[in-house]
Each structure stands twice: as structure tokens, then as C-alpha cells.
Amino acid sequence: MSLRTELASTLPPVLGDRIQLQQVVVNLVMNGLEAMAPVTDRPREMLIRSQPHEASEVLVAVQDSGIGIDSANAERLFNAFFTTKASGMGMGLSISRSIIVAHGGDLFASPNADHGATFQFTLPSSSQGVS
């Protein structure tokens, strides 16, 4: 498995609970690792990137080359108690979205063009304030 980062050197500051935001990133990374675990026929790659977004937001993305998002489940990914994992509780993405929304941002997922999925969240810069 390879991990790459593309972190912007200068981003506007965001106002938020550091522990909660770290938990969101850890959850997205762990989900990506679990999605790549069964992959044996291609490289397992993860990319974590940050960049400015729109007028005064920051975007963070976690992209994996795992099994991807089943289109039948896409609408339910962020629902509490929905899981595709045999031992999952279905709370990680729901809690992660609640944390990001409480910080004035949004969390969303999309399938990659080739393999895997990308989970992204936006946060307003501290100059924007939290709504």
C-alpha cells in the first residue's frame, strides 16, 4: 500500500475542534484502508490532499483505490446504522458528517473514474465564521 499527500502549503485557517476534525480524517483514512484490503490485482494507493476551495473554504480529500461505492448504496452512505462491513456499526460516516456540518462544512463522496472512491469535506475559513 502506498500513501501520498498533496497538502497545500498555504491555506486559510479554519476554526474548529481539532480532536473532532482529526477523528473525521482518521475515520476516512481507516475506511479507505478497509476498502483497499481485498484488492490484490492492482496497486493499493491512497492520496490525501488539501486545497483552497471556492471563495474562502478549505477542501480535504481522501482518495483510495479500493472496491469503490456501490451505486445502490450511495444514497445511504451517511445514514446512521447503515454499513456495508460485516463488523461495522454504521456510525463512522454519519458522525463524521455531523461533525463537519457542525463546523459549517459539508462531507460528500464520489466514485473514482477508475477504481475506488474519494471522500471530501469542506470547511469555511475562520474569516467566514461557523453558521
Side-chain angles (χ1 to χ4, degrees):
M1 212 268 328
S2 69
L3 171 65
R4 234 173 5 114
T5 58
E6 293 177 3
L7 305 176
S9 58
T10 57
L11 288 172
V14 297
L15 183 62
D17 184 302
R18 179 184 312 211
I19 301 300
Q20 289 181 355
L21 296 174
Q22 285 174 353
Q23 188 58 47
V24 170
V25 173
V26 166
N27 183 61
L28 297 179
V29 168
M30 293 302 296
N31 284 351
L33 291 173
E34 290 175 9
M36 291 189 295
V39 172
T40 58
D41 62 339
R42 62 181 181 271
R44 291 181 288 176
E45 301 170 325
M46 180 173 285
L47 170 63
I48 302 171
R49 73 177 183 276
S50 64
Q51 63 192 52
H53 184 70
E54 295 192 0
S56 54
E57 291 182 328
V58 171
L59 180 129
V60 176
V62 177
Q63 179 178 328
D64 67 64
S65 63
I67 56 175
I69 300 170
D70 182 344
S71 59
N73 297 329
E75 293 295 319
R76 302 183 296 167
L77 279 178
F78 297 100
N79 292 354
F81 305 112
F82 175 77
T83 184
T84 59
K85 302 175 193 172
S87 61
M89 291 177 49
M91 294 303 295
L93 288 174
S94 175
I95 291 170
S96 292
R97 180 175 262 177
S98 295
I99 290 169
I100 295 300
V101 168
H103 283 80
D106 192 19
L107 172 62
F108 47 97
S110 58
N112 296 339
D114 50 3
H115 302 288
T118 300
F119 285 79
Q120 302 177 82
F121 64 87
T122 58
L123 292 170
S125 70
S126 59
S127 62
Q128 286 291 104
V130 176
S131 49

